Amino acid sequence: MNRRWWCRSAQLYRRLHRDFSSSGASIEPFKPPPFFPQRRVVVTGLGMVTPLGCGVETTWKRLIKGESGIRALSIEDLKMSGFERDTQLYTFDQLTSKVAAIVPCGTKPGEFDESLWLDSKHGKSIARFISYALCAADEALRDANWIPSEQGDKENTVNAYIQHMFFVTKMGGQSKMVTVGMGQIGGGIGSMGDILDASQLICEKRIRRLSPFFVPRILINMAAGHVSMKYGFQGPNHAAVTACATGANSIGDAARMIQFGDADVMVAGGTEASIDALSIAGFCKLRALATKYNSTPQEASKPFDCERDGFVIGEGAGVLVLEELEHAKKRGANIYAELRGYGMSGDAHHITQPHVDGRGAILAMTRALKQSGLLPNQVDYVNAHATSTPLGDMVEAQAVKSLFSKHATSGALAFSSTKGAIGHLLGAAGAVEAIFTILAIHHGIAPLSLNLSNPDPIFKEAFMPLTKSKEMQIRAALSNAFGFGGTNAALLFATMS
């Protein structure tokens, strides 16, 4: 019976195919996809959690004053409360780097209060890196004055073609369909502490006690997911994971979604909370961390200095609200800067080290400049990625010198690395430093490179990183972010004036 059914089905298929082929029906090619004209992207909201404090104002004031958010590491910082005390002491003793840039926590102004971001419904599924993202996103959205408050104001509809949620907002007496995108909030590592705790349960044969929230707590895209759920944003919801370039890639990718027409407003940035035993031990084994300054932690992060010996691991989050220019104008939004250029490249060289000629960094910066339509001598400030590693800082400085040429060597180009104050925030670094770059334009102040007393020999005469914050007109500025695997990103911001 089954064989007979298959034979009849085959005969029917051949007959239909023969009839269709002989019918002479013409098949017209599809029309080209709809064309989206280039749309300009501006920054209308900023939010951050950093080792200098919770909030944009607190962090910026301490940064330009030359204060440090780096301190000595303690056993409690390793997040090993589930392990025996002897194991904790042994692990701490084995770590060659005992300094970290840790977010100040508490209930005082400028401190991060995690309890505010652990709601009763989702609290158990929110790891620390997620709560940092929630805090920074909330500040950015409030700064942008873009928080849909009541369901009745949103009047949701679904577009059958791209399946995004649209909010109806009134602008100048007219209704406009606005696509609100969750955007890009990426991370570099996620919640390594939860993985360490889960592995202990396996070793102790207590796997039945594994939390059902284990997987939701470690997934990097859950930072974007929780922000999306909190505010009801149902537009593009992505999470980039490109090591230390994550924050910059998240912002650049979100801007392109606006440019392409996927959304009018995007929430974008990076978050990280990887100060724990396993993460620190891993970077120690890579010989990537600073080890010479355990007794003087605030001197440990020394970008561009001859005595640098590795980066200081940090944590935090940076989130921006990106918006299509005309949409921002119509609702009277405060515009900090325009995101004019986004460049990316790959070193194709080594898993952790850049090529000595800096070609990857040069490519990323060149592509950002090309997209922006600006010339190198029109850039006033560069916020360098420089993490305080011997090779990386030198290569980036050479790349800046090569690309900007006389504009750099004449001293007209101001540049610095802000990691001397906040350490290296890994997946959040590109976003937090993009905010520093935007604030430099907005306030007309280029922040200093902390702990730079003996500059690398590559610096001569006027070609020198800033050792003091400098008041100056900054019309265009570049922010670099490079990551393991040879991934490079550059963002170019400019004033709208």
Side-chain angles (χ1 to χ4, degrees):
M1 178 69 181
N2 194 36
R3 183 179 179 184
R4 188 182 307 162
W5 184 87
W6 278 109
C7 290
R8 289 179 178 176
S9 297
Q11 290 173 357
L12 178 61
Y13 172 79
R14 286 194 294 270
R15 188 180 303 123
L16 287 171
H17 181 71
R18 183 176 62 251
D19 292 346
F20 183 80
S21 300
S22 61
S23 65
S26 60
I27 302 175
E28 294 292 333
F30 290 126
K31 293 181 180 179
F35 172 73
F36 294 94
Q38 186 81 4
R39 309 198 313 162
R40 297 173 71 179
V41 179
V42 295
V43 180
T44 57
L46 305 172
M48 65 167 74
V49 178
T50 78
L52 288 173
C54 184
V56 171
E57 185 177 0
T58 298
T59 297
W60 179 248
K61 284 182 177 180
R62 294 193 65 196
L63 177 73
I64 60 175
K65 285 181 181 179
E67 297 181 23
S68 173
I70 298 170
R71 65 169 173 82
L73 197 67
S74 69
I75 293 176
E76 288 69 31
D77 294 325
L78 300 184
K79 301 178 180 65
M80 295 180 66
S81 58
F83 290 80
E84 295 180 354
R85 188 63 176 177
D86 287 347
T87 303
Q88 295 180 37
L89 291 170
Y90 174 79
T91 302
F92 183 77
D93 182 64
Q94 292 297 304
L95 298 177
T96 54
S97 179
K98 292 183 173 64
V99 295
I102 300 173
V103 170
C105 295
T107 57
K108 297 178 182 178
E111 295 180 334
F112 174 75
D113 185 356
E114 188 174 25
S115 65
L116 298 176
W117 311 103
L118 302 178
D119 61 61
S120 58
K121 183 177 180 181
H122 301 293
K124 291 182 179 180
S125 66
I126 296 177
R128 178 62 69 94
F129 79 98
I130 298 173
S131 60
Y132 285 163
L134 284 165
C135 180
D138 186 77
E139 183 184 19
L141 288 163
R142 292 181 186 279
D143 185 35
N145 194 27
W146 185 253
I147 300 182
S149 57
E150 295 184 17
Q151 191 65 26
D153 296 332
K154 298 177 181 177
E155 197 167 327
N156 301 333
T157 60
V158 180
N159 184 297
Y161 294 99
I162 57 176
Q163 295 294 302
H164 297 323
M165 187 67 73
F166 289 88
F167 300 145
V168 174
T169 61
K170 296 215 171 175
M171 299 180 185
Q174 296 182 342
S175 294
K176 175 180 171 64
M177 303 301 287
V178 181
T179 315
V180 181
M182 177 45 246
Q184 300 257 359
I185 298 182
I189 295 178
S191 185
M192 194 70 82
D194 280 295
I195 296 173
L196 182 62
D197 291 339
S199 65
Q200 185 189 19
L201 293 178
I202 293 176
C203 293
E204 296 176 353
K205 299 181 180 179
R206 294 189 299 142
I207 193 65
R208 289 175 66 101
R209 298 194 62 182
L210 183 68
S211 169
F213 299 105
F214 167 66
V215 171
R217 284 175 65 89
I218 68 170
L219 293 177
I220 288 174
N221 73 299
M222 290 304 292
H226 276 284
V227 175
S228 172
M229 289 184 285
K230 181 176 176 65
Y231 299 102
F233 299 152
Q234 293 182 288
N237 188 341
H238 284 229
V241 184
T242 51
C244 304
T246 294
N249 282 135
S250 297
I251 294 165
D253 292 348
R256 287 190 174 175
M257 291 180 188
I258 293 175
Q259 290 171 335
F260 192 73
D262 289 336
D264 297 306
V265 182
M266 294 288 282
V267 182
T271 183
E272 197 75 87
S274 293
I275 297 179
D276 57 74
L278 199 55
S279 297
I280 296 172
F283 283 115
C284 282
K285 294 299 289 184
L286 272 175
R287 298 183 179 179
L289 298 183
T291 60
K292 295 197 300 186
Y293 302 93
N294 290 336
S295 60
T296 54
Q298 293 194 348
E299 299 176 15
S301 184
K302 307 170 76 70
F304 300 126
D305 192 90
C306 283
E307 300 301 317
R308 66 189 185 274
D309 74 323
F311 72 80
V312 173
I313 192 168
E315 62 174 1
V319 174
L320 287 68
V321 174
L322 302 177
E323 198 164 344
E324 192 272 324
L325 175 59
E326 294 306 317
H327 177 265
K329 284 182 176 179
K330 286 179 181 178
R331 71 180 189 88
N334 174 49
I335 296 174
Y336 284 98
E338 180 181 11
L339 176 49
R340 289 185 64 106
Y342 171 39
M344 296 176 286
S345 71
D347 287 340
H349 173 64
H350 190 271
I351 57 172
T352 60
Q353 296 179 356
H355 197 282
V356 291
D357 65 5
R359 60 192 179 198
I362 292 171
L363 276 173
M365 291 188 285
T366 300
R367 288 165 179 168
L369 280 166
K370 181 180 179 181
Q371 188 181 101
S372 73
L374 300 180
L375 298 173
N377 62 9
Q378 292 178 295
V379 175
D380 301 302
Y381 170 67
V382 173
N383 186 290
H385 176 72
T387 62
S388 188
T389 57
L391 179 62
D393 291 16
M394 183 274 291
V395 168
E396 184 177 10
Q398 182 60 52
V400 170
K401 187 176 181 181
S402 174
L403 177 62
F404 290 94
S405 189
K406 291 182 180 179
H407 185 52
T409 56
S410 68
L413 177 69
F415 72 102
S416 62
S417 170
T418 44
K419 289 185 175 73
I422 63 170
H424 189 5
L425 273 57
L426 308 177
V432 168
E433 290 159 22
I435 293 175
F436 290 159
T437 307
I438 293 163
L439 291 173
I441 294 172
H442 185 68
H443 293 295
I445 302 175
L448 76 164
S449 293
L450 201 61
N451 298 321
L452 179 58
S453 56
N454 186 14
D456 188 283
I458 193 172
F459 300 110
K460 296 178 182 178
E461 299 174 354
F463 180 53
M464 189 70 61
L466 296 174
T467 55
K468 292 182 180 180
S469 295
K470 181 180 179 181
E471 292 189 18
M472 57 182 288
Q473 183 184 41
I474 303 175
R475 299 187 63 219
L478 194 68
S479 179
N480 287 335
F482 312 138
F484 283 178
T487 180
N488 308 298
L491 299 170
L492 197 151
F493 299 95
T495 179
M496 291 296 297
S497 301

